[in-house]
Amino acid sequence: MTSVKFFKHSFLLFLLFASAGCVTPSMDVSGAINTYREVQPCCTTFQQVSFEKLPRNEGRSFTLAATDPAFLFRDGGLSYFRAFEIPESAKDSEVILRSYIFGIKNNPGNMAVIYPDMEFLDRDKRPIEGIKVDYTYLLSSLTDEPNSSHRFQLTAIVPHQDNLRYVIVHAASDQLGVTKLLPGNQSELTVPIGRGFVPVGGNARGTMYRATGSPVGPADSLRIKVRQAGD
């Protein structure tokens, strides 16, 4: 009997700490959208932009914020952005970008997310066409960042070529302020985001919640990592 009580108490403590670790940050999304609408582009070409060097195999957390520069991207959309230099490699690289769901301040139960996009540039900081980006939607997991919220993941295989050196991360401008139904604990649904539909596997049961596309996010709402393809 004592062992049963110990197990029950241990399990309750586990649930308490697990739920405490998954506290989701929040921010004023409507205010951020209003601020974004007043923003002017910082520049007309990426040659005018400073780039941060990305280390290989080390994830870097960041966010998009009103303090970041904005650019009018080729799809006609204005967005804040962050610019990174991809480490050189003798083999193909895999660029992984995650965007984490966060709460909307003063609106309990409603969520938001930066629907991200990536644009790749050559050595001369000109856009490169033809880099395929795969979108997936990942539920929180005990085996994969258990203290993090649900997230979108963008994955791109960057072929080894001397002239591909940079990646720009920005919000998908056609999703700003758009609210979508996303899966909570279900495992299969087709979720429209950005330029396509995301198959996320499973069935149509479970909790649904709404996520609004935001131009910015709280600290560490994005994470990018570059590794050798196949690792």
Side-chain angles (χ1 to χ4, degrees), residues 11-24 142 146-148:
F11 183 68
L12 289 172
L13 284 172
F14 168 78
L15 290 178
L16 177 64
F17 283 110
S19 61
C22 293
V23 173
T24 304
L142 289 175
N147 294 329
S148 297

Side-chain angles (χ1 to χ4, degrees), residues 31-119:
I33 291 174
N34 289 335
T35 300
Y36 151 80
R37 288 176 176 151
E38 302 298 322
V39 169
Q40 296 298 316
C42 70
C43 39
T44 56
T45 70
F46 290 120
Q47 283 81 2
Q48 300 166 276
V49 172
S50 298
F51 288 77
E52 307 171 46
K53 288 190 175 182
L54 283 176
R56 185 169 297 278
N57 297 321
E58 292 182 22
R60 175 170 296 180
S61 296
F62 64 103
T63 191
L64 298 181
T67 53
D68 289 318
F71 190 85
L72 191 61
F73 288 88
R74 289 178 296 169
D75 61 2
L78 181 69
S79 174
Y80 304 113
F81 69 91
R82 293 286 291 270
F84 300 100
E85 181 178 342
I86 299 172
E88 295 190 62
S89 174
K91 298 182 178 181
D92 292 353
S93 295
E94 184 177 45
V95 180
I96 301 169
L97 175 66
R98 287 184 169 183
S99 180
Y100 300 89
I101 304 289
F102 53 90
I104 299 178
K105 192 171 290 185
N106 301 322
N107 201 340
N110 286 331
M111 311 300 285
V113 67
I114 297 173
Y115 289 106
D117 212 343
M118 294 192 292
E119 185 156 343

